[in-house]
Amino acid sequence: MEDIYELSGLMQMYQATGAAGYGDRILERINRTGLSAGGNLLSGREAGAYLFALRQTGKREYRNAADLVFNRLVSGEEVISETAMPFYAEYDTLFNKKAHYGEIAAYFERKEAWSGQAAAALIDTIDQMSMEIYEYYRALCDLFKQLVRQGMLAEVQNTEVQSAEAHLNNGKAWSGYAVLKACNMGILNREKYGEAGLRVWRCFKVQQEQEDGLGNMLKAQYLVFEKDREKWSVDMRG
């Protein structure tokens, strides 16, 4: 089965480590997939890789591909699912003067059934939005905190080691990723909530070494968390 989070995992590992190999793998994958207007375009969930490639190379072909995917989403040719929202928000921030922020906020605010994977999509979307449009940015941050208060964190804290379980389909793993990333973004207090995310990291560490998409996403947020903790400790000694 195709791992639609492969590119997200590679991008996050690149951001966390700066290792060129992750960036090279992203470029290789999207160039192999194709950049035409035909069926080979990446889906909305993966299309953030085009924007990554654009930043890395400056090549117009990646902007053209991102334009095509965004236009498909706007026109309804491709459904704007929660998994496509991070790309939708990033493109809107970079090129569309944040014109769809209200639509993005409304999409999540009217959502009734939440899973760990949906919470992860929410935090990834917030990560791509600008605080300049504070009303919508703050509304989504408050929504995420509400999810934590309503029990998402309890699911993470009750995580047990289940080595035979595929964590990609495990809501606890997704919730743990979302909590850990929210701590790294300053949306949740890292001293209060960080241990919950680290607990997930420890429980699923074996699977994460397989370097699938979610495994890399979790590992990247763990590395960022630890790097920030080391910096905080140095500052306190300082």
Side-chain angles (χ1 to χ4, degrees), residues 132-145:
E132 292 178 358
I133 314 298
Y134 189 69
E135 174 188 357
Y136 297 124
Y137 181 89
R138 176 62 183 273
L140 291 183
C141 289
D142 288 346
L143 176 60
F144 184 85
K145 293 176 183 178

Side-chain angles (χ1 to χ4, degrees), residues 119-120 122-123 126-127 137-138 140-154 156-157 174-198 200 221 224-225 228:
L122 173 58
I123 201 67
I126 295 171
D127 191 30
Y137 181 89
R138 176 62 183 273
L140 291 183
C141 289
D142 288 346
L143 176 60
F144 184 85
K145 293 176 183 178
Q146 180 181 340
L147 293 176
V148 172
R149 290 193 298 268
Q150 290 178 343
M152 186 180 77
L153 187 60
V156 175
Q157 290 173 327
W174 283 107
S175 296
Y177 161 80
V179 167
L180 200 56
K181 185 168 184 177
C183 290
N184 290 334
M185 292 170 60
I187 293 173
L188 294 179
N189 182 292
R190 58 183 290 120
E191 299 305 313
K192 183 175 181 180
Y193 297 107
E195 180 56 32
L198 293 176
V200 171
Q221 295 309 314
V224 172
F225 189 92
D228 288 347

Side-chain angles (χ1 to χ4, degrees), residues 149-168:
R149 290 193 298 268
Q150 290 178 343
M152 186 180 77
L153 187 60
E155 180 181 69
V156 175
Q157 290 173 327
N158 292 329
T159 298
E160 300 292 340
V161 178
Q162 301 176 43
S163 59
E165 188 168 9
H167 66 279
L168 182 61

Side-chain angles (χ1 to χ4, degrees), residues 2 6-7 25-36 38-43 46 50:
E2 181 185 8
E6 175 191 1
L7 290 169
R25 288 166 63 184
I26 294 166
L27 294 176
E28 188 278 331
R29 159 75 192 283
I30 60 179
N31 290 335
R32 171 166 43 86
T33 302
L35 297 171
S36 70
N40 288 330
L41 278 174
L42 296 174
S43 69
E46 301 177 292
Y50 290 140

Side-chain angles (χ1 to χ4, degrees), residues 1-14 22 25-26 29 45-46 117 120 124 166-169 173-174 177-178 181 201 204 207-222:
M1 183 177 66
E2 181 185 8
D3 182 358
I4 65 170
Y5 294 93
E6 175 191 1
L7 290 169
S8 293
L10 292 173
M11 285 188 285
Q12 291 195 38
M13 284 298 294
Y14 179 85
Y22 292 109
R25 288 166 63 184
I26 294 166
R29 159 75 192 283
R45 179 64 187 91
E46 301 177 292
Q117 202 163 0
D124 286 344
H167 66 279
L168 182 61
N169 296 318
W174 283 107
Y177 161 80
K181 185 168 184 177
W201 159 257
F204 292 97
Q207 288 94 327
Q208 289 161 27
E209 294 306 318
Q210 298 173 10
E211 285 205 332
D212 62 11
L214 176 56
N216 273 335
M217 290 162 69
L218 266 166
K219 186 174 184 178
Q221 295 309 314
Y222 163 76

